[in-house]
Amino acid sequence: MTQPSDKALVPFVSVDHMMRLIHHIGIEPMLRGLADYIEADFKRWELFDKTPRVASHSAEGVIELMPTSDGEVYGFKYVNGHPKNTAEGLQTVTAFGLLADVGNGYPVLLSEMTILTAMRTAATSAMVAKHLAPKGADTMAMIGNGAQSEFQTLAMKAICGLKSVRLYDTDPAATAKCAANLAGHGLNVVACDTPEDAIQGAQILTTCTADKQYATILTDNMVGAGVHINAIGGDCPGKTELAPAILHRSDIFVEFPPQTRIEGEIQQLAPDHPVTELWQVITGAAAGRTSDRQITLFDSVGFAIEDFSALRYLRDQLPATGLYHPLDLLADPDDPRDLFGMVQRAAS
Amino acid sequence: MTQPSDKALVPFVSVDHMMRLIHHIGIEPMLRGLADYIEADFKRWELFDKTPRVASHSAEGVIELMPTSDGEVYGFKYVNGHPKNTAEGLQTVTAFGLLADVGNGYPVLLSEMTILTAMRTAATSAMVAKHLAPKGADTMAMIGNGAQSEFQTLAMKAICGLKSVRLYDTDPAATAKCAANLAGHGLNVVACDTPEDAIQGAQILTTCTADKQYATILTDNMVGAGVHINAIGGDCPGKTELAPAILHRSDIFVEFPPQTRIEGEIQQLAPDHPVTELWQVITGAAAGRTSDRQITLFDSVGFAIEDFSALRYLRDQLPATGLYHPLDLLADPDDPRDLFGMVQRAAS
């Protein structure tokens, strides 16, 4: 058997490699690194090829492909969303992703992205909160204590200087799990019995629940002036977390309007309801928070460029860490026209 | 380090595995097996989720994602097309693909598809020729002797009973390579100096060239009555191989009209030029060849369902052959809500 050439071998970051990378770098430095790459790509937002994700819906959930390109590098993520998976002991969301060279179309990185998606979603939330949350915000209500809750919390600590988190979940076991995981990370962690209790004193309200239906995690009378809402869980048609009245009182910031209007909280609003694109806040072209009384709302659905940034960050960590292995993914005959000959010679 | 669970491990078929599988099964039996799976999926064409491929175009080429689903299984292929790659010693087309369970969104198979795409493209061409070529067709002109030419030829032998192939390429070295590779496969192989010579006595004309521009591989006066044209190479906007006059004399059969009108030979025709969908010929709902004098034309661009069929065939070969290895692609914590805890415990 002839050995494949270097071009045929694609660096692959497994789940095991990803976990080792997080420990090698440290989770907070890695969240900061990811946020820096994401912010850099938001600053050059206009040059990206932006396509709404390609979704295949079924009764049980959705499978999506999220491609983008900056003209030199192409990236895409495969991701599913199946709310009922948890009851069967499976992840609601699993993902993997890829980078390729636009010039020749050859993949240059394949990676697990279940963990990396949780990391980039948290890094994005915190990078946005850095721009929109009120000055001095140091307390967050974390409503929904599932798989993303610890990542969200640590990103807010690493990037926004969060000191306290107030946890609430309809399932007290999820809150106990989240509180136990956050112990020893230098935060004041408070487990709360009601969402009303959780939001006491919090300047940042993060909602991250997984029901695939119109839900009302936050009602209008719970949300006071001057807070920043980080709405993570409303991310597909029919799935929202906030009462419409809250949306009407908020200044709403989104990643990519054509996608958010279908998938985000604002699917509850008129299609021409004004929203601000985050990249314009980050470049200074649009205003972010303009008063202490304002409610800012990040209607997060996750966009392909954030995955692209995360894969770009990951790729840049590989040479120094070696935390990958080469995958024999691409056929690469010595003579590119002789694919058949390569197959034939493999018989010997 | 805890070991990942079975659910986290996705069977991966490398290039090496794929080559061994071809030799284990035999290339002609495998082409017949693929054609059977493709034909079976054309028969249930209507139930598939059909999306035009999602293309990212650049000056150098295109990167595409081709998803589909039959409601129980989801599949997609990543494929690039970069005509200039050959000059740099790279494949024009590389690909990989994936199947997933629609019910929970978990991937169940990842495979190289550079070789498998050549196999499925050839199997599709031959399956279509079985339905459309004139009775007793046993001679093919193979115009373009690149990476797909031997696969096309052997599929026509395995599925349609081809006895002779007449080779032509603008580069005589490509023809010599193809002829050498086909030696010993039980075919009469004739190397020709001109395309006019190659089509002498051929009832099947296959064009498979790689130029990304409007080319005229076959001119009108070269094509006589009663032939079947298997047009493979015209497969992206701006890339065609046949003179428009030939199209006007032919009955044209296509995979998925919305895609073929953009990418196929028929991009040269009016958008309402009549075409027949192949699945209707295969189910008997539409006529195929109706006379000995008719020119039938398969305007092949490749559709996601063919890749789905090929991956389905591949998956069914794995239990008996063991020609795969389990890839640690999916994070799968014992408690699905405890992704962070899994990462944290990996430190020890």
Side-chain angles (χ1 to χ4, degrees):
Chain A
M1 188 66 59
T2 51
Q3 287 303 304
S5 81
D6 280 357
K7 293 191 188 75
L9 298 174
V10 178
F12 169 61
V13 177
S14 68
V15 173
D16 180 44
H17 289 129
M18 183 62 72
M19 295 195 294
R20 286 200 269 161
L21 187 69
I22 290 172
H23 292 292
H24 179 81
I25 295 173
I27 188 162
E28 292 188 43
M30 185 162 164
L31 286 162
R32 278 193 291 268
L34 286 164
D36 288 345
Y37 273 62
I38 294 164
E39 189 167 29
D41 285 342
F42 270 68
K43 283 183 178 158
R44 57 191 194 120
W45 188 262
E46 285 171 291
L47 65 79
F48 280 90
D49 182 14
K50 286 174 284 291
T51 312
R53 58 182 87 183
V54 183
S56 177
H57 292 279
S58 64
E60 297 85 4
V62 64
I63 296 175
E64 299 175 325
L65 300 174
M66 301 167 68
T68 192
S69 165
D70 70 359
E72 294 185 0
V73 179
Y74 170 93
F76 85 90
K77 180 168 81 168
Y78 169 102
V79 59
N80 75 298
H82 285 70
K84 290 174 189 158
N85 274 6
T86 305
E88 293 161 21
L90 300 174
Q91 285 289 109
T92 301
V93 173
T94 65
F96 70 90
L98 177 125
L99 291 181
D101 181 332
V102 167
N104 61 28
Y106 272 50
V108 296
L109 172 65
L110 178 71
S111 176
E112 90 79 33
M113 285 191 80
T114 308
I115 299 168
L116 190 60
T117 295
M119 294 284 285
R120 76 86 163 127
T121 303
T124 303
S125 282
M127 184 274 286
V128 169
K130 184 184 73 175
H131 287 276
L132 295 180
K135 286 271 173 288
D138 62 3
T139 301
M140 175 170 83
M142 182 73 233
I143 313 287
N145 301 154
Q148 302 212 32
S149 57
E150 300 93 341
F151 297 96
Q152 286 283 331
T153 302
L154 288 182
M156 291 291 182
K157 173 174 182 280
I159 294 153
C160 302
L162 194 76
K163 296 197 172 85
S164 294
V165 63
R166 303 176 65 81
L167 307 177
Y168 172 75
D169 196 289
T170 52
D171 179 358
T175 301
K177 176 246 6 169
C178 182
N181 282 337
L182 289 173
H185 283 274
L187 282 163
N188 177 33
V189 179
V190 183
C192 301
D193 294 329
T194 64
E196 288 78 5
D197 185 20
I199 64 174
Q200 291 302 317
Q203 304 92 354
I204 299 173
L205 314 183
T206 294
T207 57
C208 190
T209 62
D211 285 319
K212 190 180 180 176
Q213 53 194 317
Y214 291 101
T216 305
I217 310 302
L218 292 182
T219 58
D220 188 32
N221 63 358
M222 289 169 66
V223 176
V227 300
H228 174 65
I229 304 174
N230 175 40
I232 303 300
D235 60 1
C236 65
K239 183 172 161 225
T240 61
E241 299 180 318
L242 305 181
I246 297 173
L247 305 181
H248 285 286
R249 290 166 56 209
S250 302
D251 287 303
I252 301 172
F253 299 83
V254 305
E255 291 143 315
F256 183 57
Q259 181 175 305
T260 311
R261 292 199 190 273
I262 294 168
E263 301 177 352
E265 297 297 328
I266 59 171
Q267 65 186 279
Q268 305 179 80
L269 301 180
D272 61 350
H273 189 95
V275 298
T276 302
E277 294 187 62
L278 279 162
W279 71 270
Q280 296 199 308
V281 175
I282 290 162
T283 60
R289 173 170 290 275
T290 52
S291 93
D292 290 347
R293 303 276 306 160
Q294 186 183 15
I295 301 172
T296 50
L297 167 62
F298 173 31
D299 187 0
S300 164
V301 297
F303 192 61
I305 295 174
E306 295 150 22
D307 301 308
F308 181 92
S309 312
L311 289 168
R312 213 164 55 75
Y313 171 86
L314 178 62
R315 183 194 58 189
D316 289 353
Q317 311 313 310
L318 298 190
T321 64
L323 289 171
Y324 66 93
H325 74 252
L327 204 64
D328 174 20
L329 183 64
L330 304 176
D332 187 54
D334 294 337
D335 172 359
R337 293 178 306 190
D338 199 14
L339 187 63
F340 184 87
M342 184 184 79
V343 174
Q344 206 160 30
R345 287 186 292 276
S348 56
Chain B
M1 190 66 61
T2 51
Q3 287 303 304
S5 81
D6 281 357
K7 293 191 188 74
L9 299 174
V10 177
F12 169 61
V13 178
S14 69
V15 173
D16 181 44
H17 289 130
M18 183 62 72
M19 295 196 293
R20 287 200 268 160
L21 187 70
I22 290 172
H23 292 292
H24 179 81
I25 295 172
I27 189 162
E28 291 189 42
M30 186 161 162
L31 286 162
R32 278 193 291 268
L34 286 164
D36 288 344
Y37 273 62
I38 294 165
E39 189 167 30
D41 285 342
F42 270 70
K43 283 183 178 160
R44 57 189 193 120
W45 188 262
E46 286 172 290
L47 66 77
F48 280 91
D49 183 14
K50 286 174 284 292
T51 312
R53 59 181 87 183
V54 182
S56 178
H57 293 279
S58 64
E60 298 85 5
V62 64
I63 295 175
E64 299 176 323
L65 300 174
M66 301 168 67
T68 192
S69 164
D70 70 0
E72 295 185 0
V73 179
Y74 169 94
F76 85 90
K77 180 167 82 168
Y78 169 103
V79 60
N80 75 298
H82 286 71
K84 290 176 189 158
N85 273 6
T86 305
E88 295 161 21
L90 300 174
Q91 287 289 109
T92 302
V93 173
T94 65
F96 71 91
L98 176 126
L99 291 181
D101 181 332
V102 167
N104 61 29
Y106 273 50
V108 296
L109 172 65
L110 179 72
S111 177
E112 88 80 34
M113 286 192 78
T114 308
I115 299 168
L116 190 61
T117 295
M119 294 284 286
R120 76 87 162 128
T121 302
T124 302
S125 283
M127 185 275 287
V128 169
K130 185 183 73 175
H131 287 276
L132 295 180
K135 286 272 173 284
D138 62 3
T139 300
M140 177 169 83
M142 183 72 234
I143 313 287
N145 301 154
Q148 301 212 34
S149 57
E150 301 93 343
F151 296 96
Q152 286 282 331
T153 303
L154 288 182
M156 291 291 182
K157 172 174 183 279
I159 293 154
C160 301
L162 194 77
K163 295 196 172 82
S164 294
V165 63
R166 302 176 65 81
L167 307 178
Y168 173 75
D169 196 287
T170 52
D171 179 358
T175 301
K177 177 253 351 174
C178 182
N181 281 338
L182 289 173
H185 283 276
L187 282 163
N188 177 33
V189 178
V190 183
C192 301
D193 293 329
T194 65
E196 288 77 5
D197 184 20
I199 64 174
Q200 291 301 318
Q203 305 92 355
I204 300 173
L205 314 184
T206 294
T207 57
C208 190
T209 62
D211 284 319
K212 191 180 179 175
Q213 54 195 315
Y214 291 101
T216 305
I217 310 302
L218 292 182
T219 57
D220 189 30
N221 61 357
M222 290 168 65
V223 177
V227 300
H228 174 66
I229 304 175
N230 175 40
I232 303 300
D235 60 0
C236 66
K239 183 173 159 221
T240 60
E241 298 180 318
L242 306 181
I246 298 173
L247 304 181
H248 285 287
R249 290 166 57 210
S250 303
D251 287 304
I252 301 171
F253 298 84
V254 304
E255 291 143 317
F256 183 57
Q259 182 175 305
T260 312
R261 291 199 190 274
I262 296 168
E263 301 177 352
E265 297 298 328
I266 59 172
Q267 65 185 279
Q268 303 180 81
L269 301 181
D272 61 350
H273 189 94
V275 298
T276 302
E277 293 188 61
L278 278 162
W279 70 271
Q280 295 198 308
V281 175
I282 289 160
T283 60
R289 173 170 292 272
T290 52
S291 94
D292 290 346
R293 303 277 306 159
Q294 185 182 18
I295 301 172
T296 52
L297 166 62
F298 173 31
D299 187 1
S300 165
V301 297
F303 192 61
I305 295 174
E306 295 150 21
D307 300 308
F308 181 91
S309 312
L311 289 168
R312 214 163 54 74
Y313 171 86
L314 178 62
R315 183 194 58 190
D316 289 353
Q317 312 312 312
L318 297 190
T321 64
L323 290 171
Y324 65 96
H325 75 250
L327 204 65
D328 175 20
L329 183 64
L330 304 176
D332 188 53
D334 295 335
D335 172 359
R337 292 179 307 190
D338 199 14
L339 185 64
F340 184 87
M342 184 184 80
V343 174
Q344 206 160 31
R345 286 186 292 276
S348 57

